[in-house]
Amino acid sequence: MSKLTERISQALLIVLIVISLVLSYFIWFNPEKSLTDETISENLKDENSILSEKTVFLPIYLISRTDGKMRWIQGENVLSDAQKILSNVKFGKIKFHKATNDDFQKTMNVENGLELRYEDKFLFGEYQEAFNLKIKKISDSEQSFWFRRVLVNFSNGMVYFVNDETKQYIEVAGNINQKSFESLIQSKELKSLPVSENHEILGVRYAIDEQIELKKYSYIVASQPYTVFRDAFFQNVKHTTFDVEVPYVNDSNENFDVKETNGQLSFQGFIGTERSENEIEGSFQYVQNLGNIFPQLRFFAKEEKGTIYRTFVEGYPVFSQIDQGKVIVSFGLETGEGRTITLRSNVDTLQVPIPTNEMIRLPKTMDVIKQLQNAGAKQSEIKSLVIGYSWGELNKNNSIVDLLPNWFIHYKQEWLPLSVLLENLQKGEK
């Protein structure tokens, strides 16, 4: 029976690969038909295909706090469920605090509760709107408050939106449903790992105190038609022209180009009057129509290069060398035609996962730190560490790419796999 099942799975896989290759052929070798079509893709009109803020802006992971012990939990389902519970809380008045170091540490020392963590700072006003928090009378200064974590204290019913770097936080009381939260985080199906804090080199970040095993994944990759990105990004699709010698352009001075050698794409334009100039809200207005091809796209960080959205697999961000599975939105200077905007991505996207039982073990956080220190990494240049998946080399014969779990280090404004960074450091690139 197992051999029969295996043969059926192999046959289905071959069929999927053939379909993927056929679609890719029509996309790449017969683009003119779709490129001259002046109607907006019907797929983009389908509300079910539009990315939701409730998914895109979810935090990255959850920390449970029970009797002073902390455990790390990652996964879109548990984060979504925790966020739904929080969204049903009826909140009282907001209080803004800028605390001394001692008072700040005392408030943040929560024995029983949980916290939702972002990789990078996030805007309170955007968070409140995305998750429809029941909070009234939010001032402009509170709307524009940046925070990195949401801390829920079961003992006093308080929720804190915390900026650790500035020792500032928003405090708001609510009718916290402790039992719902506890039932969620105590589920036997959830995998959790112990974490610790107060490691000097990590700053406000936690260290995972055990090794972690994650599955290796393989995916069928498909190259998406240019029109999907055109329809998502351009303000005026009907007045868009295309020529094989030049990128898409229109009479609003928007332009769009794709490198056929590697699928990288870029868009340049000006923010329309109907789009927000807030860099998080505004960037989302450009990427929300990519739901058909980026169903797992989520906000990752707001860095100097722009607002970064990444594809997530099993709750972990995907990292690639030429923007596969990623969208970067950068706002530029104000000009006579409006504020400029640039978007970067890639037409190659993950489509169908291929089952595999191969597991890869990753070292605990402080072992990673020791490797970096021994290799001569500068502590001041280590901005962050996260676990994610590396987008491997594409096998062009079957359009399959391997995704390998790995530690990624944000070092000198660049995200690199641990092995690559160690190799660079050993070469003297410090």
Side-chain angles (χ1 to χ4, degrees):
M1 182 65 69
S2 61
K3 289 185 177 180
L4 178 60
T5 302
E6 183 178 352
R7 289 177 180 175
I8 293 174
S9 299
Q10 291 175 345
L12 289 173
L13 176 58
I14 292 172
V15 171
L16 290 171
I17 293 172
V18 170
I19 292 173
S20 175
L21 292 173
V22 170
L23 290 174
S24 297
Y25 172 84
F26 283 108
I27 290 167
W28 286 101
F29 294 97
N30 189 26
E32 286 81 5
K33 181 178 180 180
S34 61
L35 298 181
T36 57
D37 183 7
E38 293 186 346
T39 61
I40 297 177
S41 170
E42 290 299 321
N43 286 335
L44 296 182
K45 293 181 181 180
D46 182 2
E47 291 184 0
N48 294 325
S49 72
I50 296 177
L51 291 167
S52 166
E53 288 182 291
K54 288 181 172 60
T55 300
V56 174
F57 291 141
L58 275 178
I60 301 298
Y61 61 86
L62 182 152
I63 299 291
S64 70
R65 294 169 173 256
T66 305
D67 297 328
K69 296 180 180 179
M70 298 181 295
R71 297 191 69 85
W72 171 84
I73 302 171
Q74 190 148 358
E76 185 173 318
N77 289 337
V78 66
L79 287 165
S80 179
D81 290 343
Q83 190 62 66
K84 287 177 183 176
I85 297 172
L86 192 60
S87 295
N88 288 326
V89 172
K90 292 183 179 179
F91 292 105
K93 291 183 179 179
I94 281 180
K95 294 181 180 180
F96 178 81
H97 296 270
K98 185 171 184 179
T100 63
N101 188 61
D102 289 343
D103 289 340
F104 182 81
Q105 295 302 329
K106 184 178 180 180
T107 303
M108 299 300 112
N109 186 23
V110 174
E111 291 287 314
N112 292 289
L114 60 82
E115 63 181 89
L116 302 170
R117 298 279 301 215
Y118 283 95
E119 164 54 30
D120 199 4
K121 60 185 180 180
F122 197 72
L123 198 61
F124 178 74
E126 185 62 35
Y127 181 89
Q128 186 271 336
E129 181 178 341
F131 300 108
N132 194 27
L133 297 189
K134 299 174 179 63
I135 303 176
K136 298 179 180 179
K137 296 182 179 179
I138 303 175
S139 67
D140 290 342
S141 61
E142 291 159 348
Q143 288 272 0
S144 58
F145 176 72
W146 294 95
F147 70 96
R148 192 187 296 272
R149 57 177 172 144
V150 184
L151 180 59
V152 181
N153 190 330
F154 294 158
S155 300
N156 63 8
M158 292 291 183
V159 178
Y160 307 98
F161 298 85
V162 186
N163 186 323
D164 290 275
E165 287 81 1
T166 63
K167 301 293 188 296
Q168 295 175 322
Y169 60 93
I170 284 176
E171 173 189 81
V172 56
N175 60 333
I176 305 299
N177 192 333
Q178 181 176 344
K179 290 185 178 179
S180 294
F181 278 124
E182 289 178 338
S183 176
L184 173 64
I185 62 181
Q186 292 172 4
S187 170
K188 293 181 180 179
E189 298 178 358
L190 283 179
K191 293 182 179 179
S192 65
L193 290 170
V195 296
S196 57
E197 56 184 341
N198 299 323
H199 298 279
E200 181 180 354
I201 194 170
L202 294 178
V204 299
R205 302 177 187 278
Y206 295 106
I208 300 173
D209 294 332
E210 290 182 1
Q211 293 182 336
I212 179 172
E213 282 192 339
L214 292 176
K215 274 188 177 182
K216 168 188 171 182
Y217 282 90
S218 294
Y219 270 80
I220 296 175
V221 173
S223 297
Q224 301 298 326
Y226 306 149
T227 49
V228 173
F229 297 95
R230 176 202 66 183
D231 295 347
F233 297 160
F234 274 54
Q235 296 181 60
N236 193 342
V237 177
K238 290 187 177 181
H239 293 157
T240 301
T241 59
F242 178 84
D243 188 281
V244 293
E245 299 296 331
V246 295
Y248 281 114
V249 293
N250 66 9
D251 54 10
S252 298
N253 287 329
E254 296 176 309
N255 64 81
F256 170 64
D257 192 16
V258 180
K259 295 180 181 179
E260 293 197 21
T261 55
N262 59 20
Q264 277 185 298
L265 63 89
S266 63
F267 164 86
Q268 291 85 35
F270 301 91
I271 301 171
T273 55
E274 76 284 1
R275 297 188 190 266
S276 171
E277 291 198 14
N278 173 288
E279 294 194 19
I280 290 182
E281 180 185 0
S283 64
F284 176 73
Q285 291 174 344
Y286 278 89
V287 304
Q288 63 180 332
N289 286 330
L290 297 176
N292 272 347
I293 61 172
F294 285 120
Q296 298 167 300
L297 195 70
R298 287 166 59 186
F299 168 81
F300 180 72
K302 185 181 177 301
E303 300 175 1
E304 290 184 4
K305 65 183 70 175
T307 303
I308 299 176
Y309 298 83
R310 293 186 185 274
T311 297
F312 277 63
V313 170
E314 295 299 319
Y316 297 92
V318 175
F319 293 80
S320 58
Q321 292 185 339
I322 49 175
D323 298 333
Q324 301 105 322
K326 179 172 68 172
V327 181
I328 304 173
V329 185
S330 304
F331 285 69
L333 300 175
E334 188 73 34
T335 70
E337 297 180 76
R339 194 177 182 189
T340 60
I341 186 170
T342 301
L343 292 93
R344 284 173 34 206
S345 189
N346 196 297
V347 297
D348 289 343
T349 60
L350 302 177
Q351 295 296 301
V352 183
I354 301 171
T356 173
N357 293 320
E358 184 178 347
M359 304 292 291
I360 294 178
R361 179 173 293 182
L362 301 178
K364 57 186 180 181
T365 306
M366 296 314 295
D367 285 346
V368 173
I369 293 295
K370 288 179 182 178
Q371 291 183 57
L372 292 171
Q373 290 175 326
N374 292 338
K378 295 179 180 178
Q379 179 174 331
S380 61
E381 298 288 357
I382 301 175
K383 307 301 181 184
S384 184
L385 299 86
V386 300
I387 293 173
Y389 278 90
S390 292
W391 183 300
E393 291 292 329
L394 178 67
N395 187 328
K396 295 183 179 180
N397 293 327
N398 53 21
S399 295
I400 291 177
V401 67
D402 289 333
L403 299 183
L404 301 176
N406 208 336
W407 276 102
F408 292 86
I409 320 300
H410 194 197
Y411 191 77
K412 290 187 176 181
Q413 307 303 321
E414 185 178 9
W415 284 98
L416 294 172
L418 175 61
S419 58
V420 173
L421 178 54
L422 290 175
E423 183 179 351
N424 291 347
L425 292 169
Q426 289 168 0
K427 292 178 180 177
E429 300 175 12
K430 301 178 182 180

